[in-house]
Amino acid sequence: MSGRKRLVNGEDDIAQVMRPGQEALAKFLHPVLTWLKEQAGLHRVAVLVYDALGRTCRVIATLGLSSPAPAEGLQPPAFCAELLQRGKDSPALLPVDELAEFAGWLKAIFPDEPFHSAMPLWRNDEIAGILLIDRWPSEFSSEDIRAVQLAGRCAAVGIERSLLEENSLRQQEALTTIRQIVQSASSPDPDTAFRDIVRAMCQSQGYERVSLYLPQGERIKEYTARRGCANEEAPVSVRELRLEELVGPPAALLSGAALSQQKLMVTEDVSGRPVVACPLRAGQQIVGVLELAPDSDRALSSQGQMIVEVLAEQVGLIVQNARLLAERERRLSELATLTNLAHAISAVLNRDKVSQLILESMMGLTDADSAALFLRAEDGLVLQASLSRQARENEPQERFNLEQAEAVMQSGAPLALAAPSPTGRHMLNLPLRVKDKLLGVVQLTRRAPAPPFALDDQRLAEALAVSAAIALENAQLYEETERRLAEVSTLYTLAQRMTTSLDLNQMLDSLVVILRRVINCRSCCIFLLDEQSGMLEIRAASGIKPKWQKEAKLRVGEGVSGRVVVERRPIYIPDTYQEPDFIFFDPEVRSLLVVPMITKGNVIGTLSVDDSVPNAFDPEEGRLLTIAAAQAAAMIENARLYESLKERARRLKLAYDELKELNRLKSEFVQNVSHELRTPLTFIRGYVDLLLEGALGELNEQQREALQIVSNKTETLTRLVGDIISLQRAEMASLELAPVSLADVIDMALRGAEAAAQEANLQLICKVPPDLDPVFGDRARLGQVLDNLIGNALKFTPPGGLIEVSVEDAGDYERVLVRDTGIGIPSDKLEKIFEPFYQIDGSTTRRFGGAGLGLAIVKQIVEAHGGQVGVTSELGKGSTFFFTVPKYRPAGG
């Protein structure tokens, strides 16, 4: 049998071995090794299996050994990892003698049966075991190597199954213990829960001693349970220690001396007995240490250590939950305090009262001795409010540090400073911020030797500062809103007065009276620029003597109002006595505020207020006056526009009346001329027909041709006069509306066009639904519309083309379409073809005759019916004219 066939058969044999019922790993591996020994011609094979943690290994199965292998757990050398990693990177047989120490370790295990090749067995990314073979790698053929690899994979699967069963047992044991611990730790009191935990672990796992070390502030709390007598609870002792009083693994783990990656430490206590210590973790932080003193080596095995780690993980969760619960209770208490303070602060809308309440709340929350509130102003910080506890006798008055507050405003971050000396003061500076806007700084101080402000003090104060900043901004917004409401009320009153009348003088007089009353000033004046003289003159004033109102005139650039016109900006004179060039119309004026009135980019005048005391006006009054000036300018412009519009309306009415009269005369003239032309045209046509018929004598050919031309032109002129009269009737006459069968009107129009269509070699098509609803219209007029549209199509469609008339439902209307395959209409002419007398080709050499009235008549008739007319067209491909007619709806239908 060939090697390949032998390998396939061997693989089938192994598949038979890997059946479910084989639970013992040794029994499973024995047939695998037997198959490998036969396939590769080996003398000795063995399998070493690592424990679940990968720390120790043991011989699990051998074939061909003359002496038994050791049954105890073996400690592989540390450098074995390097050899195994090489096998992971490139799975193959590895020569054992490449590392002499590894070969020596194997020699110590198998002194009489040397192994020359090794292949690592992997379980995911962890070592599962080692397959040992007595031959050198160089002695194997490719088929032998494949057999070894196949056997190695089967062995790894068996090891995986065995480890899963072992882990399942361990997990069941750990779950039972965890359940007992969780049940014991059900007490809401953390101290009672920790006592129950160590007692439950001591009794359920059979440890001599179980100790739990938990840091609490600067000290360590120790809970220790020792095994009691039979059927008795393990006694628990509790004590507090300093960190330096601890020894052994707990001291190393809690002080950070041990590696942070350390999971478990096995060492000896002061009496030389073995102990197991495991850190209790919350994320990357060690929250405690669990230390166990086992009564046997069972807890020191890999399985026992794994159980300890699982238990430590659960105890760590319980410790962390207890801490979180305590922290939650503390935070809830703080939150309740902060909520009450925030509600109290936010309930006040007066800025001074809010400031005092903020300082009182801050001092009560942080136990500060004094507090100050600095608010942002245009030129820096200003002290808004300060508060101190009752001063001691002979103690100097409290002083605050403005430089620190300004530093916090620059950085936007809190600043805490401890006292520089025993008699100094600790300080905490907190910014008051709403979103990205800094409103100010709260500065808290505490006398030494009291402790500095702790992180908890800063955290609480920062939390309160958020609500304080919002309350402070609300108070500022409330005050601003009150001011704005007063302004809006004033502006509304002004707008009301302006809208009640468009009389300019009356509106200006109302404006100055209202502003003088609202601003509470001595007087209010409006100067307007006279375009002819170029002078500023008072047009309205309140509070000044009539003498000054008549005499006060300024050139542009002269005086404060003249400067405002030139510079186009407000000017405020706080004290006129300090202005050497001030022009006094009235010596009582001490302060003056003037703003420009601008409309459409032009200064048309000024609005001013003055008072008999200096520094009478603030920025809010300046803003109000500026808005009022804008309104006044708009009011003046509107009044002027109103007068202009009245004049234009008068002129337009005269022009409209004149156009109406001209249109009436035009219609009468056209109608009279049309009727006057019809009579002579009738006689001309009659005599021409008599001549052509020979009634007045025989004609030669040349005379007959000339008379035929006269007859044709007479016919054309007659049609033109008829179209003009039809257009006049469409404009002037009323319709005789009644239910009309649109199908009958279309049929009559098509029959009337049949002869012309046959003569022009054109095809007429009718597409009218049989159940077409009647329309409400004038039968004769609708027939005229169809005659014009079909006649238009006949005129502009070359021989061989077609003309189609169809009807579509358009809701409350019927839409009639007349489509042809004619020459089409340019897109830029589509909007003009319905105008009277319009010709697409208006030249004297145009191919098609007509006066351009047919489509105008169609539009007049359709629109008189309440419908619409339109056209779509493409040059060279034809046109589609359409119009709509309302459907007939019986009364009550």
Side-chain angles (χ1 to χ4, degrees), residues 51-73:
D51 64 2
L53 299 178
R55 295 173 180 166
T56 62
C57 63
R58 59 191 176 93
V59 181
I60 197 67
T62 61
L63 279 180
L65 298 183
S66 59
S67 58
E72 299 296 329

Side-chain angles (χ1 to χ4, degrees), residues 49 68 127 313 351 365 397 505 638 718 722 742 744 752 766 884:
V49 177
I127 185 66
E313 181 180 353
R351 184 165 59 172
L365 199 62
Q397 187 178 2
N505 293 328
N638 290 339
T718 302
L742 197 56
D744 292 346
C766 179
T884 59

Side-chain angles (χ1 to χ4, degrees), residues 190 194 314-327:
F194 297 148
Q314 296 302 314
V315 175
L317 292 175
I318 294 173
V319 171
Q320 180 65 6
N321 289 339
R323 289 191 171 192
L324 291 175
L325 180 61
E327 179 69 13

